[in-house]
Amino acid sequence: MGGIVDDVGFGAGVAELFASGGGRLHSLVFGGEFPPALIEATGSTARLVATDGHQLYMADIDLTEPVPAPVSVIVSRALIDWALKQAGRKVRVVEITVTPRPPVDDEPVTPRITVTVAGITLSDDAVDGRFPDYARVIPAAVSGEPGQYNPRYVLDAYTACAEYLGMTGSRPEHATALRMNGTGAAVMAVGKFAAVIMPWRATETE
């Protein structure tokens, strides 16, 4: 979040849990034209997911302390945009706190999400809804068979992987290759960061 992020603070309830990404996360994870994003945490791992139906970005982050209970919340677009604007490309730490709220009249209430950037905080309710079942589009294996993929999405994925590895500017290092999958989704991944690109159908014009 915030252009390039090396560290993400993640909290559940009143417990502050700090995570290190072990690399850099491209702004595409939470930037661009993506709708609200998903944050999950189970045990000692937090997962950040964003998708627009054509491409998906996912990053796993090791927590220094396990969460007391599984967490799964959808972060609003407004909160994401605010964090991106506040962080820019200089802020390296973004703290996210998820505070559960008691039910009202036996009806569940969405958790409250608070984002802190450089000492400034903003809160918003978690989005009430169901995030797409992203696991269904991530292939268990890739065939290597050539496929058709939107070149803009391929370039975005490569840029994301390169920045995750800390490769900046015009240096010639090779970040990673696109693992093609015929008529299925292709994958580009480094470390604990992955980009999944849906195949480009003949009917698509973008």
Side-chain angles (χ1 to χ4, degrees), residues 139-147 149 178-187:
V142 292
S143 65
E145 179 184 355
Y149 303 96
L178 179 68
R179 303 174 191 175
M180 292 191 285
N181 197 26
T183 59
V187 177

Side-chain angles (χ1 to χ4, degrees), residues 68-89:
V71 175
S72 180
V73 293
I74 302 176
V75 185
S76 70
R77 183 73 241 177
L79 198 56
I80 293 168
D81 288 341
W82 177 85
L84 286 169
K85 182 179 180 180
Q86 291 294 321
R89 285 185 171 270

Side-chain angles (χ1 to χ4, degrees), residues 27-98:
S27 61
L28 285 167
V29 175
F30 282 110
E33 299 301 323
F34 287 105
L38 175 71
I39 296 180
E40 295 180 322
T42 303
S44 297
T45 302
R47 171 168 290 179
L48 291 67
V49 184
T51 181
D52 64 357
H54 300 285
Q55 51 186 329
L56 179 149
Y57 289 87
M58 180 176 71
D60 283 350
I61 299 172
D62 295 329
L63 300 174
T64 55
E65 297 180 35
V67 292
V71 175
S72 180
V73 293
I74 302 176
V75 185
S76 70
R77 183 73 241 177
L79 198 56
I80 293 168
D81 288 341
W82 177 85
L84 286 169
K85 182 179 180 180
Q86 291 294 321
R89 285 185 171 270
K90 295 182 179 180
V91 175
R92 295 299 192 214
V93 176
V94 175
E95 179 184 331
I96 302 173
T97 303
V98 180

Side-chain angles (χ1 to χ4, degrees), residues 21-26 60 159-166 190-193:
R24 297 183 176 185
L25 306 184
H26 191 265
D60 283 350
T159 302
C161 289
E163 290 202 8
Y164 179 88
L165 292 172
V190 290
K192 296 183 178 181
F193 177 82

